[in-house]
Amino acid sequence: MFEGWHEFYGLLGTAAATLVALLFVAASVGVGLLTSERATGTRLYVSPIILHYASVLFISLVILIPALGNAVLGTIIGLSGVVGLVGSVAISVRLFRDSKSELVDRFAYGAWPFVAYAGITGAGVLIMMSSQRAPITLAASLLLLLLVNIRNAWDLTITFARRHGDNAHPPSQ
């Protein structure tokens, strides 16, 4: 079913792994900002990015395993989607309860990943049914998750850089 998709998933997985590494660099820029007082914000904004990149990487690697039957492959991908759905719901609830979160963040960190994981879950079911729509459904869902996550990582990096700059140059009195 995924014959001809090897390069796509190889590239997608490589991109996700590289972006995880870059996120660690961004976190090192903001290391002074990742304090216990800001633990809630860290869980709300940093942890989902790692979860989403790890999901893209994991699914890309699973697709590349030769000799997995559709039932096993569909089950693994479907369960991965369900885990992501649960995580997205939890993140969305926290975002909507947080009065400081902006509407764009509520969509980028909560709603769009939910849509992507719903697609991943659906793709898992389609794979088990041997549907020809499964590969494109999965690819579209993973691309959505990756692109939204790139936006979120950029947003986080800019936030770290601004706050780091504010701490380095406090306002004069």
Side-chain angles (χ1 to χ4, degrees):
M1 178 178 295
F2 287 93
E3 190 173 321
W5 288 87
H6 184 272
E7 289 79 17
F8 175 82
Y9 285 102
L11 182 59
L12 192 66
T14 301
T18 302
L19 291 167
V20 166
L22 289 174
L23 187 60
F24 284 106
V25 172
S28 69
V29 169
V31 73
L33 302 172
L34 300 174
T35 62
S36 57
E37 295 85 29
R38 293 189 174 115
T40 301
T42 300
R43 281 192 302 276
L44 190 57
Y45 294 102
V46 179
S47 297
I49 295 172
I50 295 294
L51 168 70
H52 303 326
Y53 281 144
S55 294
V56 171
L57 177 60
F58 175 75
I59 292 170
S60 295
L61 292 172
V62 167
I63 290 291
L64 295 174
I65 298 172
L68 278 183
N70 286 354
V72 173
L73 184 62
T75 300
I76 293 170
I77 290 172
L79 288 175
S80 297
V82 169
V83 168
L85 281 171
V86 170
S88 293
V89 167
I91 292 161
S92 293
V93 167
R94 284 188 273 167
L95 281 168
F96 279 93
R97 286 184 181 165
D98 179 18
S99 61
K100 296 178 190 173
S101 69
E102 297 177 12
L103 182 62
V104 68
D105 289 337
R106 290 175 182 176
F107 275 95
Y109 285 92
W112 287 118
F114 180 86
V115 170
Y117 285 116
I120 291 167
T121 303
V125 172
L126 291 172
I127 291 168
M128 287 187 275
M129 295 169 44
S130 299
S131 170
Q132 294 304 310
R133 293 184 179 159
I136 196 69
T137 301
L138 184 60
S141 300
L142 289 173
L143 282 174
L144 173 61
L145 190 58
L146 183 70
L147 292 174
V148 167
N149 218 32
I150 289 170
R151 179 263 172 217
N152 292 345
W154 178 251
D155 180 63
L156 185 68
T157 302
I158 294 300
T159 300
F160 282 165
R162 283 185 185 143
R163 290 195 179 161
H164 183 70
D166 290 347
N167 288 344
H169 305 289
S172 58
Q173 299 201 18

